[in-house]
């Protein structure tokens, strides 16, 4: 495992933990898109079905279980335990406009036409756009809490580091996965505007606001 993948995984884990702690400590999920969290739970579920069929390493299996567990824990906190604080009026992104096209694309463009491979490809495509409901919600409300922006920033860092991971693997291992790379580039692009606002505002102590 190279340093880019390791730090990318740690950034991803940090983002998930930041979000869970934010919800648990404040006893509120205000400003959090439940729809994005459902999409991420779907991403991890469809990607890590190989837990039932293969073993790569203890690290790999543990991280997969943590991602799945944390994703569903977040969904539970939003839609059950702290449902009264969930702002459904602003979380209005039509997720079917993401899931249906992504499902069709995964069915048509994949490495191998098998159930597990199609589901894995679906997860890769869906992850690249799963954050859109959250960004849409922030643009609709006009601002985001600092802790929420830290969560988004860590997600963006994770995705960017994984692009370097693919470059590393290509040069040192001869491994090249066009589907993962293209999806990663799309996802990183979605964070570019947010990165700029995060660096220029949040790090200076200002509340982040996105244009409606």
């Amino acid at each position: 495992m190279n340093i880019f993948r390791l730090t990318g995984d740690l950034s991803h884990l940090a983002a998930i933990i930041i979000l869970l702690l934010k919800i648990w400590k404040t006893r509120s999920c205000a400003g959090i898109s439940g729809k994005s969290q459902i999409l991420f739970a779907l991403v991890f579920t469809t990607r890590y079905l190989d837990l039932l069929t293969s073993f790569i390493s203890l690290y790999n299996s543990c991280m997969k279980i943590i991602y799945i567990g944390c994703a569903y824990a977040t969904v539970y906190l939003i839609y059950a335990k702290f449902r009264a604080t969930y702002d459904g009026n602003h979380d209005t992104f039509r997720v079917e406009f993401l899931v249906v096209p992504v499902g069709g694309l995964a069915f048509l463009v994949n490495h191998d036409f098998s159930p597990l491979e199609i589901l894995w490809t679906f997860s890769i495509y869906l992850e690249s756009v799963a954050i859109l409901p959250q960004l849409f919600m922030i643009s609709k409300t006009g601002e985001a809490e600092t802790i929420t922006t830290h969560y988004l920033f860590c997600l963006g860092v994770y995705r960017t580091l994984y692009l370097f991971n693919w470059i590393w693997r290509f040069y040192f291992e001869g491994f090249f996965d066009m589907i993962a790379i293209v999806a990663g580039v799309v996802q990183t692009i979605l964070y570019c505007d947010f990165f700029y606002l995060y660096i220029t505002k949040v790090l200076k102590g200002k509340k982040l606001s996105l244009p409606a």
Side-chain angles (χ1 to χ4, degrees), residues 2 4-5 160-170:
N2 63 69
F4 296 114
R5 179 177 177 182
T160 303
L161 287 169
Y162 252 66
L163 288 181
F164 287 104
N165 166 59
W166 295 125
I167 295 173
W168 175 283
R169 295 192 66 183
F170 175 73

Side-chain angles (χ1 to χ4, degrees), residues 36-96:
S36 269
Q37 297 310 310
I38 288 176
L39 292 180
F40 281 123
L42 183 58
V43 165
F44 296 138
T45 302
T46 53
R47 181 174 303 172
Y48 299 142
L49 288 174
D50 62 350
L51 274 170
L52 305 174
T53 61
S54 62
F55 177 80
I56 298 175
S57 68
L58 182 60
Y59 169 83
N60 184 273
S61 296
C62 287
M63 292 299 282
K64 289 176 179 180
I65 293 171
I66 290 172
Y67 287 153
I68 294 172
C70 288
Y72 281 98
T74 304
V75 171
Y76 166 76
L77 292 179
I78 293 174
Y79 287 100
K81 191 170 183 64
F82 303 124
R83 182 178 179 82
T85 65
Y86 170 56
D87 187 9
N89 291 328
H90 287 116
D91 193 16
T92 57
F93 192 95
R94 300 285 297 277
V95 294
E96 60 269 29

Side-chain angles (χ1 to χ4, degrees), residues 107-161:
F107 191 80
L108 295 172
V109 183
N110 50 69
H111 294 308
D112 179 46
F113 197 73
S114 65
L116 282 181
E117 186 64 29
I118 291 173
L119 288 173
W120 178 86
T121 306
F122 170 80
S123 77
I124 295 295
Y125 292 152
L126 184 60
E127 186 184 18
S128 69
V129 294
I131 200 62
L132 283 176
Q134 180 66 66
L135 297 178
F136 179 77
M137 186 177 185
I138 292 175
S139 69
K140 199 169 183 181
T141 59
E143 61 183 27
E145 295 179 14
T146 301
I147 194 68
T148 304
T149 61
H150 291 335
Y151 157 72
L152 291 172
F153 182 76
C154 285
L155 278 184
V157 169
Y158 141 69
R159 197 64 264 175
T160 303
L161 287 169

